[in-house]
Amino acid sequence: MTQENTQEVKLARVIDFKIPLPYLLGGVTFVSWAVISMYFAVQTLITSVADLQITVKSGNVSSSVLAGEVSLLRFRVETIEADLKARKQGVK
């Protein structure tokens, strides 16, 4: 008799894992929608980052060119100033 009582207690502890079909379909739909939207969001992000990298590279090239031009202009101005000082000192 104790053996029968033990078996009944074990059977009462079994959890029913049956999920109703609407809940199962809703869960699968939600997970599928989340994965698909995440995929497209990541694709958009990848495109945006690629465009940003191109913009940054072109900005770096432009700033390098401008820095070279500024250095050249600074050299020319300093040379002209030195020539003017030399002429003023020679005139006086």
Side-chain angles (χ1 to χ4, degrees), residues 1-88:
M1 187 142 177
T2 15
Q3 201 172 34
E4 290 177 14
N5 290 339
T6 312
Q7 287 180 355
E8 288 178 21
V9 171
K10 286 182 183 178
L11 290 177
R13 291 184 182 174
V14 173
I15 299 173
D16 187 16
F17 285 107
K18 293 181 183 177
I19 300 173
L21 185 60
Y23 294 149
L24 181 64
L25 291 176
V28 169
T29 303
F30 176 75
V31 170
S32 301
W33 176 78
V35 169
I36 291 170
S37 65
M38 205 178 333
Y39 173 78
F40 285 113
V42 168
Q43 291 302 319
T44 304
L45 181 65
I46 289 172
T47 305
S48 298
V49 168
D51 292 342
L52 183 62
Q53 286 176 339
I54 292 169
T55 304
V56 168
K57 285 179 184 178
S58 67
N60 287 342
V61 169
S62 297
S63 66
S64 298
V65 169
L66 290 176
E69 289 180 8
V70 166
S71 298
L72 182 61
L73 289 174
R74 184 177 292 147
F75 172 74
R76 288 179 179 171
V77 167
E78 289 174 356
T79 305
I80 291 172
E81 287 176 350
D83 288 346
L84 287 176
K85 285 183 184 178
R87 285 184 183 175
K88 283 183 181 179

